[in-house]
Amino acid sequence: VQLQASGGGMAQAGGSLRLSCAASGGTLSYYYMGWIRQAPGNERELVARITSGGTATYADSVKGRFTISRDNVRHTVDLQMDSLKPEDTAIYYCAADRGSPVSTRAAFWGQGTLVTVSS
């Protein structure tokens, strides 16, 4: 499966951004999906992931602020980011895996989209 992420950009603290991931070359419903971010000098962090059936889990750092969703018909996975903080600044990657939930070692990755949050 190929993944194409979009929607990154700049926002002020407290603002919102929505990331979208378009999948092609595979049946999205077969895949666990997720979003992973990496800030400069930091390790990759699993932000949110979602099963084929729509069960979502979140990192503690974003719980209550971010919402992951998927549309298996349109082959898209979105990440709604609200109440943004400067520490959310990172490159965000859409990721997919089969057979197990997405982790920082996911098998399939999109190209990444930069999110910058100013204070």
Side-chain angles (χ1 to χ4, degrees), residues 84-116:
L84 284 164
K85 302 177 180 180
E87 52 263 43
D88 294 321
T89 296
I91 298 174
Y92 284 71
Y93 299 90
C94 177
D97 221 327
R98 290 193 68 170
S100 62
V102 164
S103 71
T104 56
R105 296 185 176 184
F108 304 97
W109 293 76
Q111 86 284 9
T113 184
L114 178 61
V115 171
T116 304

Side-chain angles (χ1 to χ4, degrees), residues 57-78:
T57 56
Y58 300 91
D60 287 343
S61 58
V62 306
K63 201 171 293 183
R65 301 189 296 120
F66 290 11
T67 304
I68 188 171
S69 61
R70 65 188 294 160
D71 187 328
N72 289 336
V73 175
R74 298 179 65 185
H75 301 283
T76 58
V77 178
D78 292 346

Side-chain angles (χ1 to χ4, degrees), residues 42-66:
N42 289 4
E43 295 184 352
R44 290 175 177 174
E45 177 188 19
L46 177 64
V47 175
R49 62 188 182 191
I50 188 167
T51 67
S52 177
T55 299
T57 56
Y58 300 91
D60 287 343
S61 58
V62 306
K63 201 171 293 183
R65 301 189 296 120
F66 290 11

Side-chain angles (χ1 to χ4, degrees), residues 11-32:
Q12 290 189 332
S16 298
L17 285 172
R18 188 176 183 89
L19 306 183
S20 187
C21 175
S24 60
T27 303
L28 189 66
S29 60
Y30 293 168
Y31 293 86
Y32 293 87

